[in-house]
Amino acid sequence: MDKTLNVVELFAGVGGFRLGLEKANSDVFKTVWANQWEPSRKTQDAFDCYMRNFSEGIHSNEDITTVSDEVFQQLEIDLLVGGFPCQDYSVARSLSGEKGLEGKKGVLFWEIKRVLENSHPKYVLLENVDRLLKSPSKQRGRDFAIMLATFRDLNYIVEWRVVNAAEYGCAQKRRRVFIFAYKKDLDFADKQLRFSKNEIVFKEGFFAKTFPVKLEPYKGRESMHELPLDILQISDEFSFGFHTAGVMIDGKFFTAHTEVANESFIPLKDILLDEDKVEEKFYLTEAQAEKFAYLRGPKKIERTSATGHKYIFSEGGMSPTDDLDGPGRTMLTSEGTVNRSSHIVEVNGRKRFLTPIECERLNSFPDNWTAGMPDRMRYFCMGNALVVDLITKMGKTILDIDAEENVTSEQIELLI
Ligand SMILES: C[S@@+](CC[C@H](N)C(=O)[O-])C[C@H]1O[C@@H](n2cnc3c(N)ncnc32)[C@H](O)[C@@H]1O
């Protein structure tokens, strides 16, 4: 069957979603529209990188909030993807009352909602920091509950899972929550509805098929709940920290703390360049080495709070250099700078930063994907990006799901 799936990529960065999906099958996944805009920056390095690496489809470099509804109405979208910031998603009654609800201004999740309302894609795949499941700290889980209710009201079933890339065959400990939503009128939804929510989370669902887990929750942590019907009530009152996995159907959700079934990772040493290819500028100067020894060492420092109260800030020590036999730690946008979070590797007795190419490898991007921009921006873009191989795995599951959509019994006979 010559099926294609039209993809729209929001908050596209340097194109991690698109690359991952194309690695799964570039004949089927066709990105028809992609948007990337770095606020308050003259240079648009991520967008330029996207343009260098991809040619097909429309590439928009504008603030997504300024793109009109008509643009989305004209697109036929099967799959919407995007990694969006974790923000405050609270809602309030609009001043004029009759206009309904108003989300906080500048919140980018409402842009995702707007695309859904205007184009009704079959599938949605989103990525965010795992903190989203518990935020804000004073009303745990409220923001995620608002997202779930938004999908409920638009007739989607939602599954979510926190995935640590280093547990599923990748080189970086990067824990991110992935959210997969699908329309309730799909055959796949029909099939899922035959299972219990527990079976979906542990065995049969999108994430269970892609990233297998042990069949029991960690320390028995699981529970079943129902979202209040009124999203305003959720915004005002909801407080519940979601577990690492779950499914929501018609506002009822089951959530559990899952554990990887068979852990596997790529050790840091396997993604390092040959030392003769590492430029001198990446090796630490004596002053930098000293600064790192301090930053990564244990410390107890007296500090004064804004109210004048004195307290002792203490921080445990970490190993002076990163373990080459383990996976890399989480890469941040400040990677490559003198900062406690930057990786430092010691090879042949010399300490150095990771190079931008090695950072691309930590995210399973091809070498030199971000070449052409300053090193500082290459690190920044990789800190923002995602682990591409995880998207490839999820892309393959979407292909399996979609291959069975609307297949008539005659077509099944022809396939046999
Ligand atoms: C977490 S990053 C996503 C990275 C991407 N998944 C990748 O593989 O590179 C979020 C992106 O959203 C972009 N962004 C932030 N505000 C935006 C806006 N108002 N309109 C469009 N893009 C925006 C940022 O520049 C950033 O590249």
Side-chain angles (χ1 to χ4, degrees), residues 278-332:
V278 177
E279 289 177 63
E280 198 52 38
K281 65 179 176 185
F282 296 112
Y283 290 92
L284 300 192
T285 61
E286 238 172 72
Q288 285 174 325
E290 248 176 56
K291 189 90 207 263
F292 269 112
Y294 169 75
L295 286 172
R296 295 175 71 129
K299 45 187 107 38
K300 279 195 164 69
I301 310 165
E302 190 180 272
R303 284 192 180 165
T304 310
S305 73
T307 54
H309 165 74
K310 285 201 181 346
Y311 67 99
I312 302 290
F313 166 80
S314 63
E315 195 169 53
M318 57 195 278
S319 65
T321 56
D322 286 282
D323 176 15
L324 299 186
D325 293 316
R329 289 173 297 115
T330 310
M331 202 177 356
L332 306 183

Side-chain angles (χ1 to χ4, degrees), residues 8 10 17 77-82 84 109 112-113 115-116 119-127 147 151 154 156-159 178-183 186 206-207 394 398:
V8 160
L10 298 184
F17 269 104
I77 316 180
D78 297 300
L79 168 63
L80 175 69
V81 297
F84 60 109
F109 176 68
I112 292 172
K113 177 178 181 233
V115 179
L116 298 179
S119 69
H120 318 288
K122 291 196 269 189
Y123 312 108
V124 185
L125 182 59
L126 305 174
E127 181 239 17
M147 283 183 59
F151 278 109
L154 292 168
Y156 284 87
I157 293 176
V158 181
E159 284 188 46
F178 289 95
I179 297 155
F180 181 65
Y182 45 97
K183 282 179 82 177
L186 293 178
F206 174 81
F207 290 110
M394 289 183 261
I398 294 175

Side-chain angles (χ1 to χ4, degrees), residues 129-369:
V129 291
D130 56 349
R131 185 181 75 241
L132 169 68
L133 297 178
K134 315 251 182 222
S135 82
S137 55
K138 286 195 179 134
Q139 208 186 326
R140 283 156 71 84
R142 176 202 69 191
D143 292 338
F144 189 61
I146 289 175
M147 283 183 59
L148 287 181
T150 304
F151 278 109
R152 170 197 66 193
D153 297 345
L154 292 168
N155 283 320
Y156 284 87
I157 293 176
V158 181
E159 284 188 46
W160 70 91
R161 169 79 78 76
V162 174
V163 181
N164 177 354
E167 290 180 341
Y168 290 95
C170 302
Q172 188 189 170
K173 286 185 199 164
R174 196 174 181 89
R175 284 166 58 86
R176 289 291 182 267
V177 60
F178 289 95
I179 297 155
F180 181 65
Y182 45 97
K183 282 179 82 177
K184 269 175 59 194
D185 58 5
L186 293 178
D187 295 344
F188 178 64
D190 260 358
K191 277 179 212 141
Q192 294 303 92
L193 288 172
R194 286 183 225 144
F195 300 116
S196 69
K197 293 190 181 67
N198 182 301
E199 285 171 315
I200 293 174
V201 167
F202 287 102
K203 238 168 102 190
E204 304 291 346
F206 174 81
F207 290 110
K209 293 278 185 213
T210 318
F211 303 113
V213 285
K214 292 181 185 162
L215 298 180
E216 294 293 323
Y218 173 72
K219 291 192 175 169
R221 289 179 193 159
E222 59 176 20
S223 49
M224 193 86 77
H225 298 263
E226 185 159 7
L227 295 168
L229 261 185
D230 180 3
I231 202 161
L232 255 187
Q233 194 185 338
I234 299 177
S235 185
D236 291 343
E237 296 163 19
F238 190 93
S239 185
F240 169 77
F242 290 90
H243 294 302
T244 57
V247 58
M248 186 280 305
I249 305 173
D250 292 332
K252 296 192 179 70
F253 67 89
F254 169 74
T255 179
H257 190 131
T258 53
E259 279 184 287
V260 58
N262 298 300
E263 183 174 346
S264 75
F265 63 85
I266 297 175
L268 195 49
K269 64 181 177 212
D270 285 11
I271 60 114
L272 297 186
L273 286 168
D274 289 339
E275 277 316 280
D276 58 357
K277 302 225 165 58
V278 177
E279 289 177 63
E280 198 52 38
K281 65 179 176 185
F282 296 112
Y283 290 92
L284 300 192
T285 61
E286 238 172 72
Q288 285 174 325
E290 248 176 56
K291 189 90 207 263
F292 269 112
Y294 169 75
L295 286 172
R296 295 175 71 129
K299 45 187 107 38
K300 279 195 164 69
I301 310 165
E302 190 180 272
R303 284 192 180 165
T304 310
S305 73
T307 54
H309 165 74
K310 285 201 181 346
Y311 67 99
I312 302 290
F313 166 80
S314 63
E315 195 169 53
M318 57 195 278
S319 65
T321 56
D322 286 282
D323 176 15
L324 299 186
D325 293 316
R329 289 173 297 115
T330 310
M331 202 177 356
L332 306 183
T333 49
S334 56
E335 181 70 37
T337 62
V338 180
N339 176 307
R340 190 174 147 101
S341 313
S342 283
H343 291 80
I344 297 299
V345 290
E346 183 167 358
V347 191
N348 303 336
R350 293 187 73 192
K351 292 185 183 138
R352 64 171 177 84
F353 291 104
L354 291 181
T355 67
I357 290 184
E358 288 164 339
C359 291
E360 288 162 350
R361 291 180 181 177
L362 272 186
N363 271 339
S364 49
F365 276 82
D367 287 1
N368 282 318
W369 186 260

Side-chain angles (χ1 to χ4, degrees), residues 9 11-17 35-39 46 62-65 82-85 108 127 365 381 384-386:
E9 185 173 22
F11 315 109
V14 296
F17 269 104
N35 173 270
Q36 161 57 31
W37 182 72
E38 182 65 39
E62 53 214 317
D63 180 348
I64 187 69
T65 60
F84 60 109
L108 295 170
E127 181 239 17
F365 276 82
C381 286
N384 251 343
L386 41 71

